[in-house]
Amino acid sequence: MDFNVKKMVKDAGAALSRAIQLTEEKLGTSEKTELDAYFENLWSRAENTKNFTEKIVKNTEAVLIPNPGNRIEDYIYEKIEKQRPSRLSNLEYLGMDMVEAGTVLGPGTAYGSSLIKVGQWEQKLGQTERDFIGSAGMCFTQPLRKFLETEMKTIIKEKNLLEVKRLDLDACKNRVRKARSMLGQPTKDGVSPEVALEQAERELRIAQSEFDRQTEITKLLLEGVGSSHAAHLRYLYEFVETQARFYSQCTTIMTDLQRELTSLSKSGPVLRLNSEDLETLTPKQTENTNDNYTSVNLAYTNDSDVTSV
């Protein structure tokens, strides 16, 4: 328990020292250890990579799943159950409604049969769209999100720790400068200026060592962002291939649908009357229909009576 109290006091003192150092830097009354240009360029690249990757992931998911409510639901399910819920696409719902409408209105009519046919093809489009969304997520958005949640979080954590080490280092430098300025003055609080300087310099060496070590660790992580870019390029190519395959499949489905509708429209002549298509009979159908009727001659008498002849 005594050890814990001492550690708490030490940590509180270090936090206070960092706060003072940061405040003095903001006010311009204290010097700040600057990192080299190479490190700053690496950090700038990492920050840009993080920011733009977040935007790309967000916008890609908005394209794949336009409904924000569904995106939130998918995110929650992925966190809890490690998989997204299965739901029909809007095209599949449309196709189901068309098939139902065609069945009710009459599959034997031109409109009803066409509704059923189009509905079936819309369902195929919807299934293709769902497959595309799943494939695009696996090959593109999920790897990018994993990069943000693992590699970038580690880099940011180490960079924040480096900032803490820098503040400790600069605070030690200030204490050394202060101790040197006290040389030649009387002993204060039972500690001579020489002893205080020696202690401050020892703390400075330790702080410098920890800062240098943390700088190297963070630099190695930042240099690894270049390898991440190569992986992201591969994910991008896979996404484009998936997208091209999806549009090709959609084109094939719609071409087949057009062919089916054309064959349906050629099953019998269509008369257009008042912007409506009316089915007419083929000559053979007309001949067969005429056979079912008997010719009747009508004769009119003077008394306007009608008799059959």
Side-chain angles (χ1 to χ4, degrees):
M1 183 66 180
D2 182 56
F3 172 78
N4 290 336
V5 171
K6 288 182 178 180
K7 185 175 184 302
M8 290 175 60
V9 173
K10 181 179 179 181
D11 291 343
L16 179 61
S17 176
R18 294 165 192 153
I20 294 173
Q21 175 64 28
L22 185 60
T23 302
E24 291 178 349
E25 289 176 0
K26 296 294 184 182
L27 297 175
T29 58
S30 179
E31 296 182 2
K32 175 182 178 180
T33 299
E34 299 291 343
L35 297 166
D36 59 80
Y38 176 67
F39 185 95
E40 292 292 349
N41 289 334
L42 290 176
W43 174 242
S44 177
R45 182 181 67 171
E47 277 192 315
N48 290 332
T49 300
K50 172 182 177 295
N51 294 334
F52 283 107
T53 301
E54 289 175 342
K55 290 182 179 180
I56 291 172
V57 170
K58 179 181 178 181
N59 292 334
T60 303
E61 290 180 342
V63 170
L64 297 177
I65 308 174
N67 189 328
N70 289 344
R71 293 202 299 272
I72 295 174
E73 182 182 15
D74 290 348
Y75 179 79
I76 295 175
Y77 269 84
E78 283 184 341
K79 291 297 183 181
I80 298 177
E81 300 185 3
K82 305 303 180 182
Q83 63 179 2
R84 294 185 176 186
S86 178
R87 69 171 67 88
L88 295 178
S89 65
N90 292 334
L91 284 171
E92 287 176 295
Y93 282 119
L94 173 62
M96 292 170 60
D97 289 341
M98 285 184 171
V99 171
E100 182 180 4
T103 303
V104 172
L105 296 177
T109 65
Y111 182 47
S113 61
S114 296
L115 274 174
I116 293 174
K117 185 65 64 176
V118 174
Q120 292 170 344
W121 257 250
E122 292 294 336
Q123 287 177 301
K124 290 182 181 180
L125 276 177
Q127 180 62 52
T128 303
E129 182 186 36
R130 278 202 293 145
D131 294 342
F132 164 64
I133 292 173
S135 299
M138 291 181 62
C139 73
F140 192 58
T141 57
Q142 290 180 13
L144 292 182
R145 186 176 292 280
K146 183 179 180 181
F147 163 76
L148 293 172
E149 294 177 350
T150 54
E151 294 180 47
M152 278 310 308
K153 278 190 174 181
T154 301
I155 290 174
I156 292 173
K157 177 183 176 182
E158 296 299 329
K159 178 62 169 60
N160 290 337
L161 182 57
L162 176 62
E163 181 65 12
V164 170
K165 298 299 183 181
R166 185 197 64 77
L167 290 172
D168 290 342
L169 174 63
D170 290 338
C172 287
K173 288 180 179 180
N174 287 335
R175 284 195 292 270
V176 168
R177 283 193 291 267
K178 183 177 180 181
R180 286 175 179 171
S181 66
M182 299 295 291
L183 289 176
Q185 297 185 12
T187 300
K188 184 178 181 181
D189 297 330
V191 180
S192 65
E194 290 76 11
V195 173
L197 177 60
E198 182 181 351
Q199 181 179 355
E201 288 177 342
R202 183 170 58 253
E203 292 176 352
L204 175 60
R205 287 192 295 270
I206 295 174
Q208 184 69 58
S209 175
E210 291 181 351
F211 173 77
D212 293 340
R213 177 176 176 274
Q214 186 60 36
T215 301
E216 290 303 317
I217 292 174
T218 308
K219 185 181 294 184
L220 288 174
L221 291 173
L222 291 174
E223 289 173 342
V225 173
S227 300
S228 298
H229 283 185
H232 293 181
L233 179 61
R234 186 172 65 253
Y235 304 150
L236 181 62
Y237 283 174
E238 292 176 0
F239 174 68
V240 171
E241 291 177 2
T242 302
Q243 200 171 24
R245 184 167 57 252
F246 165 65
Y247 286 118
S248 176
Q249 291 172 343
C250 290
T251 300
T252 301
I253 291 173
M254 295 308 298
T255 302
D256 292 342
L257 175 58
Q258 286 179 315
R259 189 181 301 112
E260 290 287 337
L261 293 178
T262 301
S263 64
L264 286 177
S265 65
K266 289 182 179 180
S267 61
V270 177
L271 173 65
R272 191 163 187 82
L273 179 63
N274 294 334
S275 300
E276 295 184 1
D277 291 339
L278 303 178
E279 291 181 278
T280 61
L281 300 178
T282 62
K284 185 176 181 180
Q285 291 173 325
T286 305
E287 180 181 348
N288 294 336
T289 303
N290 291 337
D291 292 341
N292 296 329
Y293 294 91
T294 303
S295 298
V296 178
N297 294 326
L298 299 179
Y300 295 87
T301 65
N302 294 331
D303 296 332
S304 298
D305 294 332
V306 179
T307 60
S308 62
V309 180

